[in-house]
Amino acid sequence: MKFKGKHFYNTADLSQKEVNYLIDLALAMKKGKVKKSLSGKSLAMLFFNPSLRTRLSFTIAMQKLGGLGVDFPIKDGYTFECELGKIMDKGTIEHIKDAAKVISSYCNVIAVRASDLITSSSESVKVQEWSELKKDKTIKSFMEYADVPVINMESNVYHPCQGLGDAVTIKEKLGKTKKKKYVMTWVSHPKSLPMATPNSQILSACDLGMDVVIAHPEGWELDTEIMKTMKQKAEEAGGSLSISHSQKEACQNADVVCAKSWGALKNYGNWDYEKKLKENLNGWIVNKNLIDITNNAIFMHCLPVRRNVEVTDEVIDSKNSVVIDEAENRMWAQMALLQSLIKS
Ligand code: CP
């Protein structure tokens, strides 16, 4: 596998053989096959947004491999410029071109979380148009100028570490995954959330050759171009991809039910309008009635979760729920990734 020195932006940039290699390495590490392979190596983690799981799992992943993870939250109004040739006489403090090269001189790998929509605020924030957000300028600029691998810890478009961790969990719980039924169901949420996580979660299920069904209300379609890649990946791995506007219909005989909310692309950024549309969609929740019609499905959620809005306590606390293993597997997946990317 040719991972060394490469950036990790999206699982879809890897071949399915490479994705499976990382999953198997993560599972072997979880079973105890861990060496201090990154002794003397360091990871700089740049968080433009809040995080619990990603922050802790990367820090501990580095520690378990004998290296150091340094958490660098970007706050107090510290701003970066990414446009080349810009006359920086306004607010931005530093060009990413300089920052990426400086950090590369200290560290062996850089990880960046840069999403315009992830905030701790109780209301959804104002964002640019999707066509602009989709350019993922911040992380792409770090990738352009860094001299070491850059890992995407969640951008506007993808959350590949979540996707990889989910793939590890599905393989761990189901064993064989080909043609097993995976349902990604949209669920209600008081805020409008990014599409990055469902994009990467679905891509991973596609890489595992599953029969993937995306269930969402009309108007909550994901990006057409990304859906095209999902379909290609699913078919390449011997699975399929389909859409349903009925949660109940989608979940019949499912082996995996994964819940996630996201903002409607059709009205992206028009959150007040979306809030009104969502008033009639409170029924989009994962409850026991839904799990009862599955093939004793495992229940997945990336967390954090709004209990009794996205999923009932009864389901998330049941034996079907694998959400804690899913969060733990983020760490094993990232250990496999770090060991594979960092040059010795
Ligand atoms: N699932 C996930 O990425 O969690 P955090 O936002 O807490 O890192």
Side-chain angles (χ1 to χ4, degrees), residues 115-119 121-130 133 156 186 189-195 219-220 261-279:
S115 161
D116 289 43
L117 204 44
I118 309 175
T119 68
S121 124
S122 58
E123 292 297 325
S124 307
V125 289
K126 245 184 133 130
V127 286
Q128 292 171 295
E129 285 188 5
W130 174 242
L133 292 181
N156 287 320
W186 182 89
H189 195 286
K191 282 175 73 178
S192 300
L193 301 181
M195 287 174 282
W220 266 262
S261 196
W262 62 84
L265 189 55
K266 214 167 159 181
N267 312 297
Y268 217 66
N270 195 351
W271 307 135
D272 288 340
Y273 178 66
E274 190 188 81
K275 215 170 194 169
K276 279 203 183 73
L277 295 181
K278 281 202 289 192
E279 279 168 10

Side-chain angles (χ1 to χ4, degrees), residues 2-246:
K2 289 183 181 159
F3 290 112
K4 298 277 179 224
K6 285 193 176 171
H7 299 316
F8 183 62
Y9 172 67
N10 174 14
T11 50
D13 299 334
L14 305 184
S15 69
Q16 286 172 340
K17 201 173 164 190
E18 287 171 328
V19 170
N20 279 301
Y21 169 84
L22 290 173
I23 296 169
D24 291 344
L25 181 57
L27 287 171
M29 285 176 159
K30 191 171 182 178
K31 284 186 184 141
K33 286 194 177 161
V34 178
K35 286 189 234 135
K36 300 276 182 196
S37 57
L38 298 184
S39 172
K41 306 289 180 192
S42 49
L43 158 75
M45 294 175 283
L46 274 59
F47 282 98
F48 287 79
N49 314 99
S51 163
L52 186 154
R53 279 144 289 272
T54 307
R55 168 172 275 134
L56 283 173
S57 57
F58 262 108
T59 308
I60 305 199
M62 280 305 283
Q63 187 257 336
K64 280 188 184 296
L65 293 169
L68 172 74
V70 181
D71 180 4
F72 185 70
I74 312 290
K75 48 186 190 182
D76 301 328
Y78 204 96
T79 46
F80 289 102
E81 179 56 59
C82 29
E83 214 176 290
L84 273 182
K86 184 95 177 176
I87 299 172
M88 290 172 58
D89 59 353
K90 299 275 183 326
T92 45
I93 294 170
E94 181 162 10
H95 203 289
I96 290 181
K97 190 173 186 177
D98 303 315
K101 295 224 175 281
V102 169
I103 301 167
S104 302
S105 74
Y106 303 144
C107 297
N108 307 90
V109 58
I110 302 171
V112 180
R113 170 169 283 193
S115 161
D116 289 43
L117 204 44
I118 309 175
T119 68
S120 306
S121 124
S122 58
E123 292 297 325
S124 307
V125 289
K126 245 184 133 130
V127 286
Q128 292 171 295
E129 285 188 5
W130 174 242
S131 57
E132 198 52 36
L133 292 181
K134 204 179 161 186
K135 292 179 186 162
D136 261 345
K137 279 184 183 165
T138 304
I139 184 130
K140 292 268 180 81
S141 297
F142 273 101
M143 289 181 172
E144 184 171 353
Y145 300 118
D147 299 316
V148 295
V150 175
I151 296 173
N152 181 358
M153 294 197 293
E154 190 171 352
S155 65
N156 287 320
V157 193
Y158 299 111
H159 190 355
C161 296
Q162 184 69 52
L164 204 54
D166 276 25
V168 170
T169 308
I170 296 170
K171 207 157 174 187
E172 179 184 46
K173 301 294 175 191
L174 264 55
K176 282 198 167 62
T177 57
K178 201 165 272 193
K179 301 305 282 177
K180 295 268 175 82
K181 187 174 182 183
Y182 173 99
V183 179
M184 162 59 73
T185 175
W186 182 89
V187 281
S188 195
H189 195 286
K191 282 175 73 178
S192 300
L193 301 181
M195 287 174 282
T197 301
N199 281 342
S200 288
Q201 289 175 310
I202 297 166
L203 277 166
S204 284
C206 293
D207 272 337
L208 293 175
M210 303 184 81
D211 285 331
V212 176
V213 183
I214 310 173
H216 61 72
E218 283 188 57
W220 266 262
E221 292 75 19
L222 292 165
D223 182 274
T224 320
E225 200 183 359
I226 298 170
M227 292 268 302
K228 214 169 137 190
T229 308
M230 289 170 184
K231 196 168 166 50
Q232 271 168 4
K233 290 278 179 183
E235 287 169 3
E236 196 183 317
S240 62
L241 180 80
S242 59
I243 310 293
S244 172
H245 295 138
S246 158

